[in-house]
Amino acid sequence: SMAKSSCPLDAGCTSVSYSPDGANLATGFTDETLRIWDARNLSCSNIEFAFGHSGPISALDYCDDGSKIVTGSQDGSIQIWDPHGDLTAPLQTSHGRKGYVNSVRFSPDCREVVAGSDDFKLRVCDADDLSDCRVGDGHTRGVSAAEFTPDGS
């Protein structure tokens, strides 16, 4: 059965990702917030909010070891967050995309992030240094989805 929140949602939810242990649920919203919920008790008293983007969050992903969350936004940025730490600011932010970020995913070892965006580019970035990216730009339309293979390639 589906769990129900006991509070109204004041913005549209655009993306969701469970922590690997299933204890938390990360959600991205159109009001630019990352919200981390206690998945066992989806109530307003059990939400942590993170504000870092200047546009709606369009994609997010938990890394497989649960230590980080990556978010992508319509402001063209991607951010790395520590879900167990201080959510007043992201650990890292990368700007420079000319279009919405449509998809973000961690590699299986959590060392890289792949991001697809409306600027026709696919970027694979170092998760510890988001400015260090390899760029694929052979697309003729926006990149709406991106993923690593299970072996990380």
Side-chain angles (χ1 to χ4, degrees):
S1 71
M2 283 182 56
K4 294 185 180 178
S5 171
S6 64
C7 60
L9 297 176
D10 50 358
C13 181
T14 59
S15 48
V16 298
S17 182
Y18 273 98
S19 61
D21 64 6
N24 294 306
L25 179 66
T27 54
F29 280 82
T30 57
D31 67 357
E32 307 167 7
T33 61
L34 166 64
R35 304 178 193 189
I36 302 174
W37 306 68
D38 178 340
R40 297 162 301 225
N41 181 11
L42 296 175
S43 71
C44 284
S45 62
N46 292 308
I47 307 173
E48 293 189 53
F49 288 83
F51 302 90
H53 289 287
S54 60
I57 292 176
S58 46
L60 63 82
D61 189 37
Y62 254 102
C63 87
D64 285 348
D65 67 8
S67 67
K68 293 178 273 216
I69 296 171
V70 61
T71 54
S73 172
Q74 291 181 16
D75 66 9
S77 72
I78 59 176
Q79 296 181 335
I80 304 281
W81 299 87
D82 176 358
H84 308 292
D86 182 5
L87 292 175
T88 59
L91 298 172
Q92 292 186 65
T93 299
S94 173
H95 295 286
R97 286 151 201 83
K98 293 186 170 85
Y100 293 177
V101 176
N102 298 313
S103 177
V104 291
R105 289 285 184 262
F106 277 105
S107 61
D109 63 6
C110 300
R111 293 174 58 184
E112 293 183 308
V113 172
V114 63
S117 59
D118 278 350
D119 65 0
F120 303 175
K121 297 187 185 339
L122 181 74
R123 289 172 178 82
V124 179
C125 304
D126 184 321
D128 293 323
D129 179 5
L130 290 177
S131 66
D132 180 11
C133 299
R134 299 186 311 276
V135 180
D137 54 0
H139 298 276
T140 57
R141 296 184 186 240
V143 179
S144 57
E147 182 67 83
F148 285 94
T149 62
D151 70 0
S153 60

